[in-house]
């Protein structure tokens, strides 16, 4: 009974949150104004942004082959590509269900054992998390003065220092507690961290590790470039600081995990990040919606075609 309730909440809560955030974003900008931004947007930049997004997904599909090859499986690129897009599309309905479907597709059409397929997906997620952390560190380094002054202007310096020390002490206490505790939560965290470390080290044991690392950086470079290029589609955003692009991109990336595919949360995340740099409200929200919509159309189009074409593409496969 409890598991059933948990499953229902797992599916319904992100959707409800997304609906609430859609309402909230539309309370910040009228539908007429939002439609006007869509009408007047420069679609050349949107198309270029979509193309950059497509390149990142193509690279992700190709990178996956480097992980599967050492396991003894020569997977067709077409199956890898369609499995990746099917993942994105399915994640719009049930969070994280896409990863299960992705591994299942390779099991059905390439004979890759499900547990091995899942293992490679977990390992690539580790690589993605590490690159995301690197982007955050670079952003903090480049924009340290701005971020520091932003908090100093809004909080008393003494309170800021006390808050920092409090967070540091609580962090150290948390690490010590997790290290010594045998609770279920502590064990899950230990397993996650050890898996993260093991997954990161496994990358350097791959035969084509440098190709894998190159594609990992290429994927995320395309993500950032896609975000930056699409921003030119909206009048009223530029000139836009590099810090706003980076912080906006980070916030938007995390928003995708908050709701199904960033539904509702994506525009609000962009708006919140851009507000730090005093960028006007209306174009910020409009950009968030245009950015999310363009990439969602890409996923729906290629994801839908992939699900339809997978059986046809593999119709001659020997059982």
């Amino acid at each position: 009974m409890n598991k059933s309730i948990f499953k229902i909440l797992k599916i319904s809560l992100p959707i409800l949150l997304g609906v609430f955030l859609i309402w909230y974003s539309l309370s910040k900008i009228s539908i007429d104004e939002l439609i006007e931004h869509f009408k007047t947007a420069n679609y050349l930049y949107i198309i270029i942004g979509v193309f950059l997004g497509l390149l990142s997904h193509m690279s992700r599909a190709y990178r996956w082959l480097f992980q599967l090859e050492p396991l003894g499986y020569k997977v067709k690129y077409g199956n890898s590509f369609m499995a990746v897009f099917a993942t994105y599309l399915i994640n719009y309905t049930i969070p994280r269900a896409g990863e299960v479907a992705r591994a299942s597709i390779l099991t059905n059409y390439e004979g890759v054992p499900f547990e091995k397929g899942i293992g490679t997906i977990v390992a690539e997620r580790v690589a993605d998390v590490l690159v995301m952390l690197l982007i955050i560190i670079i952003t903090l380094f480049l924009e340290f003065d701005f971020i520091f002054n932003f908090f100093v202007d809004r909080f008393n310096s003494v309170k800021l220092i006390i808050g920092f020390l409090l967070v540091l002490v609580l962090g150290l206490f948390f690490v010590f507690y997790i290290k010594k505790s045998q609770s279920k939560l502590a064990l899950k965290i230990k397993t996650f961290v050890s898996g993260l470390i093991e997954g990161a080290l496994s990358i350097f044991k791959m035969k084509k590790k440098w190709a894998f690392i190159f594609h990992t950086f290429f994927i995320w470079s395309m993500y950032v470039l896609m975000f930056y290029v699409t921003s030119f589609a909206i009048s009223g955003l530029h000139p836009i600081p590099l810090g706003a692009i980076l912080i906006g991109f980070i916030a938007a990336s995390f928003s995708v995990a908050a709701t199904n595919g960033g539904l509702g949360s994506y525009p609000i995340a962009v708006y919140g990040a851009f507000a730090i740099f005093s960028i006007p409200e209306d174009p910020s929200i409009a950009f968030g919606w245009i950015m999310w919509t363009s990439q969602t159309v890409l996923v729906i189009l290629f994801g839908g075609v992939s699900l339809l074409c997978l059986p046809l593409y593999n119709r001659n496969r020997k059982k």
Side-chain angles (χ1 to χ4, degrees):
M1 184 67 179
N2 289 335
K3 287 184 178 181
S4 299
I5 294 173
F6 177 76
K7 287 180 179 179
I8 293 171
L9 291 175
K10 188 178 179 180
I11 296 171
S12 61
L13 285 180
I15 295 174
L16 291 173
L17 177 60
V19 171
F20 169 75
L21 291 174
I22 290 172
W23 169 82
Y24 180 74
S25 69
L26 294 178
S27 71
K28 294 290 183 179
I29 181 174
S30 69
I31 294 178
D32 290 338
E33 289 174 337
L34 184 59
I35 292 173
E36 187 61 27
H37 276 290
F38 269 85
K39 287 181 178 179
T40 59
N42 189 328
Y43 279 84
L44 174 62
Y45 290 112
I46 295 174
I47 291 169
I48 294 172
V50 169
F51 177 70
L52 294 171
L54 178 60
L55 287 179
S56 70
H57 302 323
M58 292 172 67
S59 179
R60 180 178 293 278
Y62 195 68
R63 182 184 68 171
W64 199 17
L65 303 181
F66 298 138
Q67 297 172 275
L68 294 164
E69 189 177 342
L71 300 178
Y73 300 97
K74 296 286 288 186
V75 174
K76 293 178 182 178
Y77 176 74
N79 280 330
S80 178
F81 177 83
M82 288 186 280
V84 165
F85 266 103
T87 297
Y88 294 142
L89 182 59
I90 293 170
N91 277 338
Y92 271 78
T93 56
I94 304 175
R96 303 273 70 87
E99 280 70 18
V100 175
R102 183 175 164 189
S104 298
I105 287 170
L106 283 202
T107 300
N108 292 332
Y109 296 119
E110 294 285 357
V112 178
F114 179 79
E115 63 277 6
K116 290 186 178 181
I118 284 290
T120 59
I121 294 170
V122 171
E124 80 166 29
R125 285 291 180 266
V126 171
D128 290 334
V129 168
L130 292 175
V131 175
M132 189 65 190
L133 289 174
L134 180 62
I135 293 173
I136 293 172
I137 291 169
I138 291 172
T139 302
L140 290 173
F141 178 78
L142 293 176
E143 299 296 324
F144 178 80
D145 289 341
F146 178 84
I147 295 171
F148 179 78
N149 291 329
F150 174 80
F151 282 105
V152 167
D153 290 342
R154 284 159 179 76
F155 302 97
N156 181 282
S157 298
V158 176
K159 290 182 179 178
L160 199 62
I161 294 170
I162 293 173
F164 173 77
L165 291 174
L166 182 61
V167 170
L168 182 62
V169 170
L170 289 174
L172 291 173
F173 174 78
F174 180 75
V175 170
F176 178 79
Y177 169 78
I178 293 299
K179 189 176 180 180
K180 298 293 184 182
S181 176
Q182 296 298 318
S183 67
K184 288 184 178 180
L185 176 62
L187 291 173
K188 284 184 178 180
I189 293 173
K190 288 177 186 177
T191 302
F192 173 77
V193 173
S194 63
L196 198 67
I197 295 170
E198 185 180 351
L201 294 176
S202 69
I203 293 170
F204 293 96
K205 297 176 183 178
M206 294 169 55
K207 290 181 179 179
K208 297 181 179 179
K209 57 180 176 291
W210 295 115
F212 179 91
I213 292 170
F214 167 79
H215 277 276
T216 300
F217 280 105
F218 178 81
I219 290 165
W220 285 90
S221 297
M222 290 301 101
Y223 285 160
V224 176
L225 195 57
M226 168 188 73
F227 191 87
Y228 176 64
V229 168
T230 308
S231 69
F232 283 96
I234 308 298
S235 59
L237 278 183
H238 285 267
I240 186 168
L242 174 63
I245 291 293
L246 292 174
I247 294 175
F249 171 77
I250 292 168
S253 298
F254 280 112
S255 75
V256 174
T259 60
N260 298 29
L263 175 67
S265 61
Y266 197 101
I268 293 299
V270 172
Y271 157 68
F274 283 6
I276 297 174
F277 294 83
S278 301
I279 296 173
E281 184 176 275
D282 284 4
S284 297
I285 295 176
F287 165 66
W289 273 112
I290 287 173
M291 183 73 206
W292 180 83
T293 302
S294 63
Q295 295 304 313
T296 298
V297 169
L298 174 68
V299 167
I300 292 173
L301 178 61
F302 278 85
V305 171
S306 294
L307 288 174
L308 290 173
C309 289
L310 270 166
L312 298 174
Y313 182 74
N314 294 279
R315 63 184 179 276
N316 295 324
R317 178 180 175 269
K318 293 180 180 180
K319 299 293 182 180

